[in-house]
């Protein structure tokens, strides 16, 4: 196909219709791109051209947005709008083109232009690599928030790092996970806009010098340059955009010329390589990586560059620092950027000459923090010696913050030495600390420095103040809040499920894209049998697409008539993928025992990555493959049961899988899943949930009616009670023949070709400790799965329930979440 013919098509299209200015500008840009394309009009060329063309209108919108935001303090009669700075080590953006053209209203323009070249729009979109700069929910939440920042017109910057390699690419070899580098920028990144004017120096190491006047000055031994790259995220219902500013590190010093001339080339560039190592990878969140020092440097680098950028912008716009805290919010997405208060204090004290009290007031006004997990091992701490060596001035500041804070606590709760030790920013390494080693507690720093701390779902926020932060809730009761997570309906319904979107549009109009609460109008239509059938037909079409993908990827034929039972999320013991696999084994054994019974055919789909050092999670992936291999190839089973594991889970795979799910597995041990957002995406797309009374499942059940969710398992109070009474998982196994048969099959090597050692650790763990109570919840889980089967045999009843699920999801929009953050966490009023 000749490139020239696409120009002709575009020109005809441009003349025949009356294009909007954006469409016209886009068409010109596309023509220019294609003319300069060296490889003709491959899908990749079309992708690059379209992306480059989108940059033009996005760039315009970016400039307009910045100009408008700079004026936000101008009206003396209005309370100033605060600009939000959302600091996160992770942004799980996924693909950008589909979202950009939906926002810019260019879908039809592109569809026609590509069709004229024999290319379907979705096939081109699929060529874009995912920007997978995050591990899971926390990073995806940050990405959904950027979308809502734009949509709500909130003055904001997202701040992150520009990782060369994102979350690893997961390959499966012989049923085992193999990690490969995720070279997502190999063909360049057409979306980023370099901002050479936004560049800052960040120091490490050295020591603190004291001047004659007593002021302290940090003399670092190493300097890096932080260079900004912007990723622009458009609103869908206005011209606003939000910005993700990602920092790239390079060495401040040029190459060592003396060494170079001696011929010692490697040594001449040593510090450049060291600087560049900050850009290499996103560390997996829960592995025990030896690169911890590098991770601390990455965190400090993100924080310092972002805050320097904030201060520079504030001074440009308002020329005084006194109102910095009132006009800017600095939000910490978990403790990873919790160095921010220490760095902000350092900048205000040492670089801008403020007093401690002035700086501390600004700091407290600006900073707020979201906690994402109750698991104590996930609360970051840093060995003091490492911290002090890399960040000596920050260490001093933290000691000072700590001393002033502990003095306050002492005054308020005299004589309570235990309390002081527990809330200190420093873990002194006593008998209950980290075995003798002094450590800096980042969550404590985040709480003490913040004016607001929030959890991410009602139950999680409650448990947070009852357990890990109970002492702090006593000291600062007004500081703790809840803001339940949400997801963006633009990506997670409109774009990923066009057929369902069209069906909903036809019944209640298109307004839900902007105001998801309008989905509530579907409630009154749940008994409309015609709508139920149409719901079923859309689901069926989505399942056929997924079945085709499964056949293509894995060579396994699955029936779109079977119930698609889906669990996709990071592989973790608390999320209990293993419980899911145990159910598959139990079902397999039951089918073999009684093949003629009335079985509801099922296809179980699992996807997710295990942190590279997390052996138990990797063992669960292997077991899923082993069980799948046996079940899928057993001729006695046929379509009654299949188990497939789709490799390399990420945002784009989620967008394909979720619209095709009948059943959403949200089965964490009660009290362990802070919120979950996968649960929301599934229900929004008409999947029914089988879930525990955990995280946001609870609020979803309340919103849609608990009778429309398959709830099972021990609740948090019962979990605590079982553990308090001395939990013995063996008792549950001995009392349940079905469970015993499942465990025996695994340990007897039935899924590992007779190898009885492969799953010994896994089985021993379940029978010995079973931290996440799989044995205690197994019977109820299996019984509830039988209720799922029964409803699925009644398509009308199932579709009715699916409609009610969608109708109940209006509250779980990220737009609502962000509106609540603005109200309770980021508003000027929250400072009183
Ligand atoms: C939504 C999402 C998550 C979070 O899923 P949970 O089920 O809430 O853990 C993780 N990864 C990706 C790619 C997602 O889109």
């Amino acid at each position: 196909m000749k490139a020239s013919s696409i120009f002709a098509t575009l020109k005809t299209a441009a003349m025949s219709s009356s294009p909007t200015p954006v469409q016209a500008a886009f068409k010109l840009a596309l023509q220019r791109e294609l003319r300069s394309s060296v490889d003709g009009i491959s899908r990749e060329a079309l992708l690059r051209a379209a992306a480059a063309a989108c940059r033009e209108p996005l760039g315009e919108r970016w400039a307009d947005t910045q100009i408008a935001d700079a004026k936000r303090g101008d009206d003396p009669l209005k309370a100033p709008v605060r600009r939000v700075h959302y600091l996160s080590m992770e942004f799980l953006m996924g693909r950008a083109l589909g979202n950009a053209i939906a926002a810019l209203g260019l879908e039809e323009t592109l569809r026609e232009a590509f069709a004229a070249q024999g290319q379907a729009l979705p096939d081109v979109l699929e060529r874009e690599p995912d920007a997978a700069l995050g591990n899971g929910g926390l990073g995806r939440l940050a990405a959904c928030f950027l979308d809502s920042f734009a949509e709500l017109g909130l003055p904001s910057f997202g701040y992150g790092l520009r990782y060369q390699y994102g979350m690893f690419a997961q390959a499966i070899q012989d049923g085992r996970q193999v990690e490969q580098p995720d070279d997502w920028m190999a063909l360049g990144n057409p979306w980023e806009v370099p901002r050479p004017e936004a560049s800052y120096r960040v120091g490490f190491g050295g020591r603190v010098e004291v001047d004659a006047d007593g002021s302290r000055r940090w003399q670092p031994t190493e300097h890096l340059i932080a260079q900004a790259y912007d990723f622009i995220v458009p609103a869908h219902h206005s011209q606003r955009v939000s910005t993700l500013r990602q920092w790239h590190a390079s060495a401040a010093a040029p190459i060592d010329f003396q060494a170079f001339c001696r011929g010692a080339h490697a040594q001449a560039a040593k510090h450049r390589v060291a600087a560049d190592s900050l850009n290499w990878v996103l560390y997996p969140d829960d592995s025990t990586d030896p690169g911890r020092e590098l991770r601390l440097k990455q965190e400090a680098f993100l924080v310092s560059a972002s805050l320097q950028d904030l201060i520079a912008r504030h001074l440009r716009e308002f020329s005084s620092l006194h109102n910095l805290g009132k006009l800017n919010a600095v939000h910490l997405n978990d403790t990873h950027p919790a160095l921010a208060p220490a760095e902000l204090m350092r900048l205000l004290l040492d670089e801008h000459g403020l007093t401690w009290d002035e700086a501390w007031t600004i700091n407290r006004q600006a900073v707020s923090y979201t906690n994402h997990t109750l698991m104590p091992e996930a609360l970051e701490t840093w060995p003091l010696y490492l911290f002090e060596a890399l960040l000596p001035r920050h260490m001093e500041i933290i000691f000072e913050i700590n001393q002033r804070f502990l003095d306050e606590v002492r005054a308020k709760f005299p004589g309570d030495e235990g309390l002081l030790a527990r809330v200190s920013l420093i873990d002194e390494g006593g008998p209950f600390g980290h075995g003798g080693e002094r450590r800096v507690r980042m969550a404590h720093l985040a709480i003490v420095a913040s004016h607001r701390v929030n959890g991410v779902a009602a139950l999680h926020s409650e448990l947070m103040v009852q357990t890990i932060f109970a002492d702090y809730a006593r000291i600062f009761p007004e500081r703790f809040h809840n803001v339940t997570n949400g997801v963006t309906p633009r990506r997670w319904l409109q774009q990923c499920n066009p057929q369902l979107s069209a069906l909903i549009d036809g019944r209640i109009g298109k307004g839900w894209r902007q105001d998801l609460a309008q989905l509530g109008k579907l409630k009154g239509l749940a008994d409309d049998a015609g709508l139920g059938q149409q719901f079923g037909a859309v689901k069926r079409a989505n399942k056929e697409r997924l079945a085709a993908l499964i056949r293509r990827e894995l060579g396994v034929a699955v029936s779109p008539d079977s119930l698609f039972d889906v669990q996709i999320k990071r592989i973790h013991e608390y999320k209990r993928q293993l419980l899911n696999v145990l159910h598959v084994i139990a079902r397999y054994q039951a089918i073999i025992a009684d093949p003629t019974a009335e079985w509801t055919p099922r296809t179980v789909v699992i996807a997710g990555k295990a942190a590279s050092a997390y052996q138990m999670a990797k063992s669960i992936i292997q077991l899923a493959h082993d069980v799948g291999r046996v079940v899928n190839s057993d001729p006695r089973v046929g379509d009654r049961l299949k188990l497939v594991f789709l490799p390399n889970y990420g945002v784009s795979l989620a967008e394909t899988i979720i619209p095709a799910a009948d059943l959403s597995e949200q089965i964490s041990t009660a009290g362990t899943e802070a919120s979950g957002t996968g649960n929301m995406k599934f229900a929004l797309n008409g999947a029914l949930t089988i879930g525990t009374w955990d995280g946001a499942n609870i609020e979803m059940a309340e919103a849609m009616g608990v009778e429309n969710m398959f709830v099972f398992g021990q609740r948090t109070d019962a979990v605590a009670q079982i553990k308090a009474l001395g939990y013995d998982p063996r008792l549950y196994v001995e009392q349940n023949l079905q469970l015993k048969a499942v465990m025996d099959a695994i340990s007897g090597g039935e899924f590992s070709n007779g190898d009885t050692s492969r799953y010994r650790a896994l089985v021993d763990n379940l029978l010995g400790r079973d931290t996440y109570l799989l044995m205690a919840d197994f019977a109820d889980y299996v019984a509830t799965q039988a209720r799922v089967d029964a409803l699925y045999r009644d398509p009308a009843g199932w579709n009715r329930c699916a409609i009610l699920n969608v109708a109940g999801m209006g509250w779980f929009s990220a737009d609502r979440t962000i509106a609540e953050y603005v109200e309770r966490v980021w508003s000027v009023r929250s400072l009183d």
Side-chain angles (χ1 to χ4, degrees):
M1 196 68 68
K2 295 245 169 50
S4 57
S5 62
I6 196 168
F7 306 145
T9 321
L10 286 170
K11 278 200 180 122
T12 328
M15 285 184 294
S16 62
S17 57
S18 47
T20 65
V22 170
Q23 281 173 329
F26 168 75
K27 281 176 181 170
L28 283 174
L30 187 59
Q31 286 174 25
R32 192 184 58 230
E33 285 298 323
L34 289 174
R35 232 177 302 137
S36 57
S37 160
V38 288
D39 52 358
I41 41 176
S42 63
R43 286 171 185 170
E44 282 73 16
L46 288 173
L47 179 69
R48 273 199 306 278
C54 285
R55 279 173 55 163
E56 217 127 310
L58 290 178
E60 286 288 316
R61 290 180 183 198
W62 189 84
D64 291 344
T65 302
Q66 294 309 313
I67 290 167
D69 288 355
K71 295 190 181 132
R72 72 196 191 284
D74 283 2
D75 187 345
L77 299 177
K78 277 206 218 143
V81 181
R82 305 177 86 207
R83 187 186 259 124
V84 173
H85 304 76
Y86 195 84
L87 273 56
S88 179
M89 286 290 279
E90 306 187 15
F91 286 88
L92 200 43
M93 302 296 285
R95 292 180 180 137
L97 182 58
N99 185 57
I101 63 175
L104 293 167
L106 292 171
E107 273 167 321
E108 286 319 309
T109 311
L110 271 185
R111 198 184 302 280
E112 285 167 24
F114 292 173
Q117 304 308 311
Q119 297 288 3
L121 178 60
D123 294 341
V124 177
L125 297 183
E126 228 172 61
R127 292 302 163 110
E128 182 179 355
D130 268 36
L133 309 184
N135 283 291
L138 174 153
R140 183 53 230 175
L141 185 77
C144 281
F145 282 3
L146 290 173
D147 185 88
S148 291
F149 289 166
E151 192 72 0
L152 298 183
L154 184 71
S156 64
F157 273 84
Y159 281 111
L161 294 183
R162 183 176 174 270
Y163 303 103
Q164 181 87 43
Y165 303 102
M167 179 67 167
F168 62 84
Q170 180 193 53
I172 302 291
Q173 282 170 14
D174 298 329
R176 277 182 237 243
Q177 169 176 299
V178 180
E179 300 92 20
Q180 293 169 345
D182 168 30
D183 197 3
W184 70 290
M185 288 197 286
L187 299 175
N189 177 4
W191 294 106
E192 64 183 14
V193 184
R195 305 278 183 205
E197 72 280 12
S199 158
Y200 305 94
R201 280 164 76 85
V202 178
F204 290 102
R207 59 203 175 84
V208 179
E209 287 172 2
V210 185
D211 291 348
D213 64 352
S215 65
R216 312 186 75 82
R217 199 153 303 281
W218 178 23
Q219 302 291 352
T221 46
E222 180 188 4
H223 277 107
L224 302 182
I225 303 291
Q227 166 81 58
Y229 287 80
D230 285 352
F231 190 99
I232 298 171
V233 180
H236 286 249
H237 300 91
S238 79
Q239 308 275 311
R240 300 256 330 171
V241 297
S242 68
T243 311
L244 169 57
R245 181 157 282 187
Q246 296 180 309
W247 299 108
H248 175 85
S250 57
I255 59 163
D256 178 345
F257 204 67
Q258 312 302 323
F260 186 82
C261 292
R262 282 199 313 273
H265 299 157
Q267 197 204 326
K270 221 168 89 189
H271 58 289
R272 293 174 73 108
V273 176
D276 195 38
S277 65
L278 264 76
N279 305 312
W280 286 344
V281 288
L282 161 75
Y283 285 100
D285 58 347
D286 38 17
S287 78
T288 54
D289 233 288
R292 302 274 291 166
E293 177 181 337
L294 194 50
R295 166 85 182 189
L296 179 57
K297 275 179 112 172
Q298 285 182 324
E299 294 181 357
F301 183 74
L302 163 69
V303 158
S304 180
S306 307
L307 292 175
Q308 290 186 62
D309 195 41
L310 182 165
I311 292 175
R313 188 180 312 105
H314 182 81
L315 285 175
R316 268 199 313 274
E317 292 175 355
F318 300 102
S319 63
S320 155
L321 288 174
H322 81 275
N323 57 359
L324 185 138
K326 282 229 150 119
L327 286 162
N328 297 279
V330 173
H331 197 81
L332 313 179
N333 193 26
D334 215 327
T335 58
H336 316 145
L339 270 168
E343 171 68 358
L344 185 55
M345 289 300 286
R346 186 191 71 81
L347 290 167
L348 295 176
L349 294 169
D350 299 357
E351 311 273 325
H352 296 277
L354 269 60
T355 65
W356 181 278
D357 288 339
E358 288 168 336
W360 185 245
T361 301
I362 289 173
N363 187 80
R364 284 284 320 286
Q365 288 173 333
V367 178
S368 50
Y369 153 58
T370 298
N371 169 270
H372 284 271
T373 174
L374 301 175
M375 303 212 175
E377 68 269 26
L379 292 176
E380 259 182 319
T381 61
W382 291 107
L384 209 123
Y385 71 87
L386 173 63
F387 200 104
E388 203 156 30
L390 278 179
L391 305 162
R393 178 64 179 133
H394 300 78
M395 193 69 255
E396 282 188 354
I397 290 171
I398 288 173
F399 280 137
E400 173 90 27
I401 294 174
N402 197 34
Q403 189 180 342
R404 287 167 183 251
F405 164 63
L406 292 180
D407 285 347
E408 259 177 63
V409 178
R410 219 174 265 118
K412 213 164 160 183
F413 303 93
D416 194 341
E417 286 304 312
L419 177 67
L420 291 177
R422 289 196 305 273
V423 298
S424 172
L425 305 192
I426 309 297
D427 177 346
E428 299 291 344
F432 305 110
H434 275 83
E437 187 183 59
R438 296 179 83 200
R439 298 179 77 99
V440 187
R441 296 161 159 165
M442 301 312 285
H444 291 201
L445 174 59
I447 297 171
V448 171
S450 294
H451 69 283
R452 286 284 184 269
V453 177
N454 74 284
V456 288
L459 174 70
H460 166 238
S461 297
E462 244 170 69
L463 295 174
M464 182 176 80
V465 297
Q466 284 167 15
T467 60
I468 51 169
F469 298 153
D471 290 319
Y472 279 106
R474 227 172 99 209
I475 300 169
F476 307 123
E478 72 298 333
R479 208 166 281 194
F480 292 87
H481 289 254
N482 173 60
V483 185
T484 300
N485 284 168
V487 299
T488 168
R490 272 76 63 185
R491 182 174 296 259
W492 294 111
L493 181 52
Q494 176 191 329
Q495 287 156 44
C496 76
N497 202 342
Q499 280 185 286
L500 184 58
S501 299
L503 178 59
I504 295 172
D505 289 348
R507 294 302 179 116
I508 64 167
K510 294 183 167 213
W512 55 267
R513 290 167 172 73
Q514 236 180 321
D515 172 18
L516 197 63
Q518 293 185 18
L519 289 180
K521 294 186 210 162
L522 288 170
K523 199 171 170 190
L525 304 173
D527 290 309
D528 179 332
L531 180 62
Q533 272 174 8
Q534 288 171 315
F535 246 73
V538 167
K539 184 62 78 181
R540 164 86 199 196
N542 291 335
K543 286 167 73 175
E544 278 170 11
R545 252 194 307 280
L546 179 57
L549 176 87
I550 291 170
R551 184 189 273 279
R552 218 168 44 238
E553 290 276 315
L554 306 172
V556 178
V558 304
S559 164
D561 289 324
S562 63
L563 186 162
F564 278 20
D565 171 349
V566 181
Q567 187 174 29
I568 52 175
K569 48 183 77 234
R570 279 181 306 127
I571 308 291
H572 201 292
E573 286 164 279
Y574 85 79
K575 290 175 182 283
R576 300 202 295 190
Q577 283 92 355
L578 184 51
L579 181 60
N580 186 352
V581 175
L582 297 184
H583 165 247
V584 172
I585 296 172
R587 186 171 283 253
Y588 171 62
Q589 293 175 335
I591 291 171
I592 299 299
D594 187 3
T596 60
E598 187 190 17
W599 292 104
T600 301
R602 264 198 205 229
T603 299
V604 177
V605 178
I606 301 178
K609 293 174 182 175
S612 53
Y614 190 176
Q615 288 312 322
M616 188 57 80
K618 290 182 150 179
S619 183
I620 293 168
I621 290 177
Q622 193 179 10
L623 180 64
H625 281 90
D626 276 342
V627 173
R629 183 173 36 76
V630 170
V631 170
N632 298 347
S633 62
D634 191 325
R636 298 169 293 179
V637 175
D639 278 347
R640 295 183 193 87
L641 185 60
K642 290 279 181 282
L643 169 58
V644 293
F645 187 101
L646 281 169
N648 206 25
Y649 178 55
V651 172
S652 292
L653 190 58
E655 287 174 41
T656 312
I657 294 176
I658 290 171
D662 293 306
L663 186 67
S664 157
E665 298 270 353
Q666 307 299 336
I667 60 177
S668 51
T669 318
T672 62
E673 185 72 89
S675 163
T677 47
N679 47 3
M680 301 170 188
K681 300 167 194 166
F682 278 101
L684 189 58
N685 283 274
L688 275 50
T689 299
I690 182 165
T692 45
W693 205 243
D694 198 20
N697 294 354
I698 299 171
E699 287 152 87
M700 285 168 54
E702 286 165 355
M704 69 179 63
V706 67
E707 68 281 7
N708 293 308
M709 191 184 281
F710 295 100
V711 179
F712 76 97
Q714 306 288 346
R715 299 193 176 195
T716 42
D717 47 351
V719 169
Q721 208 171 11
I722 290 172
K723 290 194 167 173
L725 292 174
Y727 174 52
D728 182 0
R730 269 176 218 278
L731 294 181
Y732 290 87
V733 181
E734 278 158 22
Q735 287 164 13
N736 185 333
L737 289 179
Q738 193 178 27
L739 179 54
K740 182 152 194 333
V742 169
M743 300 306 291
D744 287 347
I746 299 172
S747 50
E750 275 191 39
F751 303 103
S752 43
N753 299 316
D755 177 356
T756 54
S757 67
R758 189 176 299 173
Y759 297 113
R760 185 164 298 143
L762 184 144
V763 170
D764 285 353
N765 187 36
L766 284 183
L767 297 180
R769 249 194 326 241
D770 190 21
T771 314
Y772 297 104
L773 268 61
L774 280 72
M775 302 296 99
D777 274 346
F778 177 83
D780 196 12
Y781 181 54
V782 171
T784 306
Q785 290 287 14
R787 290 201 286 127
V788 172
D789 290 334
L791 185 60
Y792 195 74
R793 287 196 289 268
D794 166 20
W798 184 277
N799 289 331
R800 176 178 177 279
C801 193
I803 294 171
L804 288 171
N805 267 253
V806 177
M809 289 307 292
W811 197 67
F812 298 91
S813 166
D815 299 342
R816 187 272 312 154
T817 307
I818 291 306
E820 287 191 13
Y821 272 102
V822 169
E823 177 74 20
R824 279 188 234 149
V825 181
W826 298 332
S827 72
V828 184
R829 255 177 310 134
S830 73
L831 302 180
D832 299 335

